[in-house]
Amino acid sequence: MSVKAFELVPAVGRELLMADKALINIECIEFCGKHLYVGTSDCFIYQFLLEESASAKGKVTYSPQKLLHKYLGLKKPVSELRATSALERLIVLCDCTIMVVDMASLEPVTSSGTRIKGVLSFCVNENPVSGDPFCVEIGVILAKRRTVQIYMVYEDRVQMAKEVATPEQPCAVSLDGYFLCLALSTQYIILNYNTGASQDLFPYNSQEKKPIVKRVGREEFLLAAPGGLGMFATAEGISQRAPVKWSENVIGAAVCFPYVVALDDGFVTVHSMLDQQLKQTLSFRDGHILQDFEGKVVLASTKAVYVLVPLPLEKQIQDLLAGHHVEEALTLTEGARRNIPKEKFQVMYRRILQQAGFILFGNLQFLEAKEHFRKGQLDARELISLYPLLLPATTSFTRCHPPLHEFADLNQLAQGDQEKVQQCKRFLISYLREVRGTEGTNGWREDVDTALLKLYAEENHESLLDLLASDNACLLPESAPWLEKHCNFHYYCNRMPLLCYNYFCPSLPVVWKYADWALKKNQEVGVQIFTRRPKEDKQQKQMNPDDVIKYLHKYKQATVLYLEHLVLDKRIQKERFHTHLAVLYLERVLSLISTSHTPAKQVTHAREQFQRLLKESNLYQVHLLLDKVNDTDLLVERATLHGKLEEHDKALYILVHQLKSPSAAEEYCSWASMSQDHTYRQRLFHLLLSLYLSTNVPHSGHTVAAVDLLNRHAEVFDAVSVLRSLPEAWSLQLLRPFFSGALRGSMHARRTAQVALGLARSENLLLHHDRLKYLGGPVFVSEKKGCHLCHNTFSEPDCVCLPGGVPVHMHCAAQKARDSPIKRHCMNRSNHT
């Protein structure tokens, strides 16, 4: 038992009910709003007004006021009461008779048809199917009859709607929609009274123990099962929740999410529906009624009524956390999600996760703590603040209030145990490394990076230089003293140039002065002084790449990295950089090959880098590199360099006859013809085919390679030329894929040409149509007709026609065009001569 979920608060005492009448007992109760109704063994109904109040400390009390009491006149106990607020009626079971009573006056409704006789028990359908707001549906069990009757209760009448037969005599019933959950004499069943379908649940002996059938939600019921189990069952007859283990002698049960409350002959037990564990036990003697009404759980002994008041959920969770019951607190929080507004829940849940993380942190359960911190979006400064002096003096951070944990600092947590201190520091390093690059550190990254630098310096951590070389936000005034104190160099003697570089303007003298120190420490990190420099302002002196390369000459790895930065990242198109990088790649490959026991994967990676540069760059000195690789076994590299010189025959000869790799030869042809036209590509593949078919250098594998080449690249070859060059002894069946592809290619080319020809003819026809459209009618010239410009008559038929069909002499039109550029444009539009 780990949580106090409820408090037992008196509601109505004995003196208000029966005073000194010892033989009178409480038989049933009902709650509606602030009104409590009590049915007694002497056939009375009492109405009380319960005023709820809370003290400053949150303690709830009830002040009862007796309003009415009414004798029903049947001289039998009042067995059951159900309130229907919409009708302002009480449904009462007394002396096996259901009657309807006015809630305000407690007077029975006397109109005809308001009573049902021979009733053993009844229940109200809290998920009604009628849709009438002024009608209440009830399920009724009749004595000595294997039926359940469905009634509609109105303000002034009761009307039967359905009678459902059952296999055995029902003992208890609960109703939800069309579903009846029944306790029969030997078993529980689910019955759909609309369709008639039924589902057996499990056996139960009603003569040994009182059955319990309790609706707990939409189409879900809670049942008392054998073995002291509280079983959940849905309308489909399945259980979606694990059972709770309660007492063998349970006489009543109620649900107040997320708890199941059960009553036996001496105790009230509280189990969680989330993890099925017993959470609380309260002593309660002579109890015989336990019911829940609109969120209130009400208990009654034979003489008094009590309310089980649930403690606020947040207080329950905080009590669990205070007892270090982390998993129970989180389970309870997650289970309450559906009852809390989303935004409020998110705020509460994040805080609880953070608190849980600190509890686990204090127990040195670092992996679990980190996960809770991550999910709870912890402000990392809450954790940093536990470590003395790690937060900068200029930070604006203050710890959360109320506090997330009970620790003053790391010293209190560790209690002098230095091993525990070191574990906590290693955890903080791990945590800060993960969060420093996330959005969660926006606004306070300086605090995080500075704390991480201090930890690195204090622990002489190998990642210190990486942090300094990265784009960090460390505060120099805070960081420098820690570097001076904990690291093996003097402050501002070696100055930590990478740190200065990140905070002051990139001063070239400082970079040149301290770069050597960084490169000696780590070439890969040190070279970032040059490769990760921010963009210089126009007023600042630019860093010359040639000067950097000259400076780096004694650091080969750093030189390679810097040249890669220039050539591959910045794409600088300068021959000397490309050639220098290629030469260094070559030297590295040769060095690895000459070194014994070099892993093959390392050599392969180095060669792939070299080959990639040779293929992608067009700026290096090809002849220089070719001279260097000619006497080596780097055949692919030699072939690539010959290809750069358009010496494809030499390249393919190397790949075919020296490397003996048909796949490399085909790959070479594809690479060398990339971005070239079809003719160029065809020439390369025909050259490779001719090498395979050459009789001067016979090779047993060349025939297979030639066949594979033709079959894989049929679309590239000129089929006629191939047929002429193939040996007569070859089987055409071998080349079936080639011929099929060639035929498809030829047919495709022919049809494409036909389509193009048809389109060209259509376009020509359209243009011819347009030309004829603009020609207009004939122009008549005669000896009697004069020129519009010179007014002389025509002596020959040659003429120029002006716009509007006016003929003029050719020499007149030419003269006019020379005299007027504008008119020249008009006359040139003439269509006829």
Side-chain angles (χ1 to χ4, degrees), residues 607 611 625-627 629-666 668-669 687-688 691-692 697 699 702:
R607 289 191 65 182
Q611 293 168 11
L625 292 171
L626 194 56
D627 291 341
V629 300
N630 268 336
D631 297 328
T632 68
D633 294 329
L634 303 178
L635 299 178
V636 175
E637 290 81 351
R638 282 169 55 194
T640 304
L641 290 168
H642 281 297
K644 288 290 184 178
L645 297 173
E646 295 289 326
E647 297 173 349
H648 300 302
D649 52 344
K650 294 181 180 180
L652 289 172
Y653 186 89
I654 291 171
L655 298 173
V656 172
H657 296 299
Q658 294 183 22
L659 186 62
K660 296 182 174 60
S661 174
S663 61
E666 288 184 34
Y668 171 85
C669 290
L687 181 59
L688 176 57
L691 281 175
Y692 287 147
V697 188
H699 189 279
H702 287 176

Side-chain angles (χ1 to χ4, degrees), residues 226-230 242-248 250 269 271 276-278:
L229 294 177
V244 294
K245 177 68 176 176
W246 57 28
S247 167
E248 291 276 359
V250 167
T269 57
H271 290 78
Q276 294 73 51
Q277 299 299 309
L278 177 63

Side-chain angles (χ1 to χ4, degrees), residues 3 60 77 135 146 153 215 218 228 340 345 394 533 553 563 593 685 769 804 815:
V3 65
V60 175
C135 170
R146 295 182 179 183
V153 179
R215 179 186 182 272
R218 187 177 181 85
I340 302 176
F345 175 81
T394 57
R533 287 181 61 77
H553 74 280
L563 285 169
I593 293 174
F685 276 88
H769 172 268
Q815 181 63 38

Side-chain angles (χ1 to χ4, degrees), residues 103-154:
M103 288 179 65
S105 65
L106 300 184
E107 291 290 340
V109 177
T110 58
S111 58
S112 62
T114 56
R115 296 200 176 200
I116 308 170
K117 295 185 177 181
V119 176
L120 184 64
S121 179
F122 76 96
C123 69
V124 174
N125 190 349
E126 297 179 33
N127 181 24
V129 297
S130 69
D132 185 348
F134 299 103
C135 170
V136 175
E137 301 171 22
I138 62 173
V140 175
I141 297 176
L142 298 177
K144 299 180 181 181
R145 290 184 63 181
R146 295 182 179 183
T147 61
V148 176
Q149 294 179 343
I150 307 300
Y151 282 88
M152 302 297 176
V153 179
Y154 297 91

Side-chain angles (χ1 to χ4, degrees), residues 197-494:
S198 66
Q199 173 70 50
D200 294 346
L201 297 178
F202 48 83
Y204 187 80
N205 191 340
S206 60
Q207 293 181 353
E208 293 182 359
K209 295 177 183 177
K210 177 184 177 183
I212 295 176
V213 182
K214 178 72 179 177
R215 179 186 182 272
V216 297
R218 187 177 181 85
E219 298 184 1
E220 186 177 17
F221 304 92
L222 174 63
L223 313 172
L229 294 177
M231 296 288 294
F232 294 92
T234 66
E236 287 78 21
I238 61 175
S239 181
Q240 296 178 332
R241 306 178 196 268
V244 294
K245 177 68 176 176
W246 57 28
S247 167
E248 291 276 359
N249 302 315
V250 167
I251 57 177
V255 170
C256 183
F257 190 86
Y259 298 110
V260 175
V261 183
L263 172 68
D264 61 24
D265 51 7
F267 297 93
V268 176
T269 57
V270 180
H271 290 78
S272 171
M273 296 172 66
L274 305 174
D275 60 11
Q276 294 73 51
Q277 299 299 309
L278 177 63
K279 301 299 181 182
Q280 186 181 5
T281 300
L282 299 102
S283 177
F284 191 74
R285 300 294 177 185
D286 300 323
H288 74 123
I289 299 173
L290 172 63
Q291 289 181 249
D292 56 285
F293 307 98
E294 301 173 356
K296 287 186 172 67
V297 179
V298 182
L299 280 164
S301 65
T302 56
K303 306 298 181 182
V305 180
Y306 301 82
V307 178
L308 274 179
V309 178
L311 272 64
L313 185 67
E314 290 190 39
K315 184 178 189 312
Q316 296 181 42
I317 295 170
Q318 292 303 321
D319 289 344
L320 286 170
L321 290 173
H324 290 196
H325 301 289
V326 171
E327 291 305 317
E328 289 187 56
L330 292 176
T331 301
L332 179 57
T333 306
E334 291 166 359
R337 181 191 299 265
R338 69 180 190 181
N339 297 327
I340 302 176
K342 183 177 180 180
E343 291 184 4
K344 181 180 179 182
F345 175 81
Q346 291 296 337
V347 173
M348 181 184 78
Y349 189 46
R350 282 196 294 268
R351 177 178 172 82
I352 291 168
L353 282 169
Q354 294 169 11
Q355 290 179 273
F358 276 108
I359 292 170
L360 295 168
F361 172 74
N363 295 334
L364 307 186
Q365 295 174 259
F366 296 125
L367 288 177
E368 295 86 348
K370 182 189 293 185
E371 183 64 16
H372 289 324
F373 288 154
R374 183 187 64 79
K375 289 182 179 178
Q377 301 174 17
L378 177 72
D379 182 338
R381 296 174 297 178
E382 287 282 355
L383 186 58
I384 298 171
S385 67
L386 288 175
Y387 297 71
L389 304 178
L390 286 191
L391 278 175
T394 57
T395 184
S396 60
F397 171 75
T398 55
R399 285 186 180 177
C400 182
H401 183 79
L404 296 173
H405 52 79
E406 57 190 14
F407 311 118
D409 56 25
L410 187 60
N411 296 324
Q412 179 194 350
L413 187 152
Q415 295 291 314
D417 187 337
Q418 290 305 308
E419 175 58 28
K420 186 179 290 189
V421 170
Q422 291 304 311
Q423 290 181 34
C424 292
K425 287 183 177 180
R426 288 194 292 270
F427 166 71
L428 183 59
I429 288 174
S430 170
Y431 180 71
L432 294 183
R433 287 173 68 174
E434 289 186 16
V435 303
R436 66 180 294 260
T438 63
E439 294 183 1
T441 59
N442 290 345
W444 33 272
R445 191 178 168 193
E446 290 180 351
D447 293 353
V448 172
D449 282 6
T450 303
L452 187 57
L453 181 140
K454 290 178 179 181
L455 285 168
Y456 279 162
E458 190 176 79
E459 300 296 316
N460 197 20
H461 200 279
E462 59 183 7
S463 299
L464 174 60
L465 197 57
D466 292 335
L467 174 64
L468 295 173
S470 69
D471 181 18
N472 65 72
C474 301
L475 295 173
L476 183 61
E478 288 278 342
S479 306
W482 285 69
L483 297 171
E484 181 182 15
K485 177 180 178 181
H486 296 287
C487 300
N488 295 325
F489 46 86
H490 298 292
Y491 175 56
Y492 281 134
C493 177
N494 276 329

Side-chain angles (χ1 to χ4, degrees), residues 78 147 172 188 273 306 319 362 379 458 462 483 486 527 530 569 603 606 624 638 693 716 722 744 767 790 802-803 829:
V78 178
T147 61
Y188 288 103
M273 296 172 66
Y306 301 82
D319 289 344
D379 182 338
E458 190 176 79
E462 59 183 7
L483 297 171
H486 296 287
V527 76
F530 306 105
D569 298 337
V603 176
L624 172 66
R638 282 169 55 194
L693 300 179
V716 178
V722 171
R744 281 195 302 270
L767 292 173
C790 67
L802 296 179
R829 293 174 57 190

Side-chain angles (χ1 to χ4, degrees), residues 10-276:
V12 178
R14 172 175 179 161
E15 63 280 358
L16 277 179
L17 276 169
M18 64 281 299
D20 57 351
K21 299 176 182 178
L23 298 179
I24 299 176
N25 296 324
I26 297 173
E27 294 293 331
C28 58
I29 55 176
E30 172 68 333
F31 225 113
C32 185
K34 293 183 178 181
H35 293 89
L36 173 68
Y37 298 89
V38 179
T40 62
S41 58
D42 58 349
C43 204
F44 272 87
I45 299 177
Y46 293 82
Q47 181 185 21
F48 297 91
L49 176 65
L50 288 187
E51 292 289 351
E52 180 180 308
S53 59
S55 66
K57 295 183 179 180
K59 187 174 179 63
V60 175
T61 58
Y62 288 96
S63 302
Q65 178 186 354
K66 185 176 178 180
L67 300 179
L68 289 172
H69 67 280
K70 179 67 178 179
Y71 177 62
L72 298 181
L74 297 178
K75 300 182 181 180
K76 297 287 185 177
V78 178
S79 304
E80 294 185 41
L81 288 174
R82 292 292 182 271
T84 59
S85 56
L87 305 180
E88 296 186 353
R89 296 291 186 263
L90 284 175
I91 302 173
V92 182
L93 175 60
C94 181
D95 192 19
C96 297
T97 301
I98 287 180
M99 64 182 69
V100 179
V101 173
D102 186 275
M103 288 179 65
S105 65
L106 300 184
E107 291 290 340
V109 177
T110 58
S111 58
S112 62
T114 56
R115 296 200 176 200
I116 308 170
K117 295 185 177 181
V119 176
L120 184 64
S121 179
F122 76 96
C123 69
V124 174
N125 190 349
E126 297 179 33
N127 181 24
V129 297
S130 69
D132 185 348
F134 299 103
C135 170
V136 175
E137 301 171 22
I138 62 173
V140 175
I141 297 176
L142 298 177
K144 299 180 181 181
R145 290 184 63 181
R146 295 182 179 183
T147 61
V148 176
Q149 294 179 343
I150 307 300
Y151 282 88
M152 302 297 176
V153 179
Y154 297 91
E155 184 178 356
D156 56 353
R157 71 186 187 280
V158 177
Q159 180 179 326
M160 189 173 77
K162 187 91 171 181
E163 185 170 28
V164 185
T166 60
E168 300 173 2
Q169 171 67 47
C171 305
V173 62
S174 186
L175 185 57
D176 183 277
Y178 288 112
F179 294 98
L180 289 162
C181 186
L182 295 168
L184 305 181
S185 55
T186 61
Q187 64 176 336
Y188 288 103
I189 67 168
I190 297 282
L191 183 63
N192 185 321
Y193 74 79
N194 185 47
T195 64
S198 66
Q199 173 70 50
D200 294 346
L201 297 178
F202 48 83
Y204 187 80
N205 191 340
S206 60
Q207 293 181 353
E208 293 182 359
K209 295 177 183 177
K210 177 184 177 183
I212 295 176
V213 182
K214 178 72 179 177
R215 179 186 182 272
V216 297
R218 187 177 181 85
E219 298 184 1
E220 186 177 17
F221 304 92
L222 174 63
L223 313 172
L229 294 177
M231 296 288 294
F232 294 92
T234 66
E236 287 78 21
I238 61 175
S239 181
Q240 296 178 332
R241 306 178 196 268
V244 294
K245 177 68 176 176
W246 57 28
S247 167
E248 291 276 359
N249 302 315
V250 167
I251 57 177
V255 170
C256 183
F257 190 86
Y259 298 110
V260 175
V261 183
L263 172 68
D264 61 24
D265 51 7
F267 297 93
V268 176
T269 57
V270 180
H271 290 78
S272 171
M273 296 172 66
L274 305 174
D275 60 11
Q276 294 73 51

Side-chain angles (χ1 to χ4, degrees), residues 573-638:
Q573 303 296 305
K574 290 189 177 181
E575 174 271 324
R576 61 182 181 275
F577 298 150
H578 288 247
T579 301
H580 194 172
L581 180 59
V583 169
L584 291 178
Y585 275 169
L586 174 59
E587 290 176 355
R588 181 169 63 184
V589 170
L590 296 176
S591 174
L592 291 172
I593 293 174
S594 62
T595 304
S596 59
H597 307 300
T598 302
K601 185 180 292 186
Q602 191 174 354
V603 176
T604 301
H605 177 69
R607 289 191 65 182
E608 287 175 349
Q609 275 190 309
F610 184 34
Q611 293 168 11
R612 192 180 305 114
L613 179 65
L614 294 181
K615 290 180 178 179
E616 294 178 359
S617 173
N618 295 317
L619 297 176
Y620 54 83
Q621 296 182 25
V622 180
H623 290 287
L624 172 66
L625 292 171
L626 194 56
D627 291 341
K628 290 180 178 291
V629 300
N630 268 336
D631 297 328
T632 68
D633 294 329
L634 303 178
L635 299 178
V636 175
E637 290 81 351
R638 282 169 55 194

